[in-house]
Amino acid sequence: MIRVGGVFALLAGLYFAQGLPFGFFTQALPVVLRQSGYSLVTISATGVLFAPWALKFLWAPYVDRYGTRRRWLVSLQCGAAVVALVLASLDLSSGLAWLFVGIAVINLLSATQDVVTDGLAVRLLSARDRGVGNGIQLGAYRIGMIVGGGVLLWLFSLAGWRALFVVMAVLILVSTVPVLAMRRTLESADATPVVDSSAVRLAGAWWARLRRPGVVAFVGLIVAYKFGNSMGSALVGPFLSDLGLSLGQIALLEGGLASASALVGAALGAWYATRFGRRRALLVAGITQTLALGSYVAAALGVGGFAMVVTANVSEHVFGGAATVVLFALMMDASERAFAGTDYTLLACAVVFSQGAAGLAAGVIGEFFGYAVMFGTGLVLSGVGCAVLLTGLRRGWGPAVLHREPARAP
């Protein structure tokens, strides 16, 4: 019998390992680039390095059907640690080309690890446990981002690239310990082999899953729900830098306080979705995350000073974190257990596509029209996206399994 507490611990370690490098690359690196004189458009264009997160659906069927979960996870975790150690051995002070290559490779490994981990979550968690499970998912991921975007940024400001990547490698290896300790749990989650698992069939498996009735419509709903909020939060680091905050202050605010606020949001989202159901939680979280962006509009207009900046940062992460937890639980509801990694990965890629497009749009709007217009546009689109998602669900859009699950899940 699988112990839910052990599953939660396993997932926590794996999602932490994802959030650690992602936090540094998405929160701390844009600040470093901005202080080095890069434009907002150029900074947002570095999002192409995260393409593996948007394209992982292409190889998700292979991950679902070949090898064991344990072997995949150990190999991917160790691979990411090795890349971090290689970056630690390089001289990055004269140029960032090798750093960008390293970021792309680590993203490829982490994105593949995410396919395995999401498949584990869908297979091992019951419908009732998914709200809490997604709270742990986002919470552990955010803790990783706190360390990556806050602690590692602070470490970089003191000791440079080498110490940063050595610590990153060590933490990734430590997070692999639950994988080594929970062999039986991982074996129970391995997919049952199918009769036809040829490479040719698997190459088009993602397309077959996408063509299921209602899936394309559900992808559109996910993109709509995430786009506005993602635009509003895409360039917070450069915004804080342009306000004149130091690396240490930004590390404390964006990497520490904001990510801690997201942990609170994750807990609230998990509790509310479990207590009141997915639909109501999506509505409340969507409205509050939209209203939170209004604080950023005020801060960009110079209203409220530093207190308003802190208020915006905290409120957006609390309510945005809650909304993300509920949305991820809904995505698990829409995934079939036999194709868990592939189905959930397709939906997760929709989130990444939405975030990437929103980040590029934010960079262009922010560069030419200013932060206030950028945050304001995100606010409007966030509200529209919330209305679109709730309307679509009410009308029965999405795969059939999505509308059966809520009846059994709180």
Side-chain angles (χ1 to χ4, degrees):
M1 181 177 179
I2 297 175
R3 295 182 178 179
V4 176
V7 174
F8 287 159
L10 173 65
L11 296 177
L14 293 173
Y15 284 118
F16 171 86
Q18 294 176 25
L20 179 67
F22 197 81
F24 178 76
F25 296 146
T26 60
Q27 293 189 357
L29 186 61
V31 177
V32 175
L33 295 178
R34 187 60 170 171
Q35 294 195 346
S36 298
Y38 288 86
S39 70
L40 294 178
V41 174
T42 301
I43 294 172
S44 63
T46 60
V48 71
L49 299 173
F50 300 91
W53 289 92
L55 300 175
K56 60 185 178 178
F57 66 89
L58 294 174
W59 57 87
Y62 296 93
V63 177
D64 249 353
R65 297 302 175 191
Y66 289 137
T68 65
R69 308 310 100 179
R70 188 170 184 269
R71 186 176 301 168
W72 273 111
L73 292 171
V74 171
S75 300
L76 293 166
Q77 294 277 97
C78 291
V82 168
V83 174
L85 290 175
V86 169
L87 289 174
S89 68
L90 300 176
D91 180 14
L92 300 176
S93 60
S94 57
L96 299 179
W98 283 113
L99 174 63
F100 292 148
V101 172
I103 292 173
V105 174
I106 290 179
N107 279 323
L108 175 62
L109 297 171
S110 295
T112 306
Q113 189 257 53
D114 189 51
V115 173
V116 183
T117 305
D118 289 340
L120 282 175
V122 175
R123 290 188 178 103
L124 296 179
L125 296 176
S126 67
R128 180 176 181 82
D129 292 329
R130 287 173 186 167
V132 176
N134 284 113
I136 291 175
Q137 171 187 2
L138 184 60
Y141 189 83
R142 281 290 182 170
I143 291 174
M145 292 187 70
I146 290 172
V147 178
V151 176
L152 292 187
L153 177 60
W154 172 78
L155 181 61
F156 167 76
S157 68
L158 295 178
W161 294 110
R162 180 162 299 176
L164 182 156
F165 284 116
V166 169
V167 171
M168 181 184 293
V170 170
L171 291 174
I172 291 174
L173 291 175
V174 170
S175 68
T176 311
V177 172
V179 177
L180 301 175
M182 300 183 66
R183 178 189 293 269
R184 290 186 179 179
T185 299
L186 289 167
E187 288 175 350
S188 70
D190 285 332
T192 303
V194 293
V195 175
D196 188 355
S197 59
S198 65
V200 174
R201 288 286 186 182
L202 289 178
W206 66 270
W207 178 244
R209 304 306 296 167
L210 183 64
R211 290 172 58 198
R212 286 185 301 147
V215 172
V216 172
F218 187 54
V219 167
L221 296 179
I222 293 172
V223 171
Y225 192 74
K226 288 296 296 181
F227 191 90
N229 181 256
S230 298
M231 175 182 286
S233 60
L235 295 176
V236 170
F239 171 63
L240 298 177
S241 178
D242 287 350
L243 287 178
L245 275 66
S246 67
L247 283 179
Q249 291 173 317
I250 295 174
L252 177 62
L253 182 59
E254 182 68 359
L257 182 60
S259 292
S261 300
L263 294 180
V264 175
L268 286 174
W271 170 78
Y272 201 89
T274 303
R275 179 69 177 81
F276 298 104
R278 310 275 199 262
R279 307 294 198 272
R280 183 171 172 181
L282 285 167
L283 174 63
V284 173
I287 291 174
T288 52
Q289 77 170 0
T290 298
L291 294 177
L293 291 177
S295 300
Y296 270 123
V297 176
L301 293 173
V303 177
F306 184 71
M308 182 61 72
V309 174
V310 174
T311 299
N313 209 274
V314 170
S315 60
E316 192 279 324
H317 281 83
V318 168
F319 299 121
T324 300
V325 164
V326 184
L327 183 65
F328 284 0
L330 190 73
M331 289 159 52
M332 283 192 178
D333 291 342
S335 303
E336 295 182 6
R337 188 181 188 278
F339 302 91
T342 303
D343 285 356
Y344 191 85
T345 296
L346 271 173
L347 302 176
C349 286
V351 174
V352 176
F353 273 116
S354 179
Q355 291 172 333
L360 289 173
V364 173
I365 294 174
E367 184 73 22
F368 293 102
F369 301 101
Y371 287 111
V373 174
M374 185 267 288
F375 288 129
T377 303
L379 184 153
V380 172
L381 293 179
S382 178
V384 171
C386 178
V388 169
L389 175 64
L390 271 297
T391 300
L393 292 177
R394 188 166 55 250
R395 293 182 178 179
W397 296 359
V401 66
L402 176 67
H403 301 288
R404 292 197 299 268
E405 284 290 338
R408 300 193 300 271

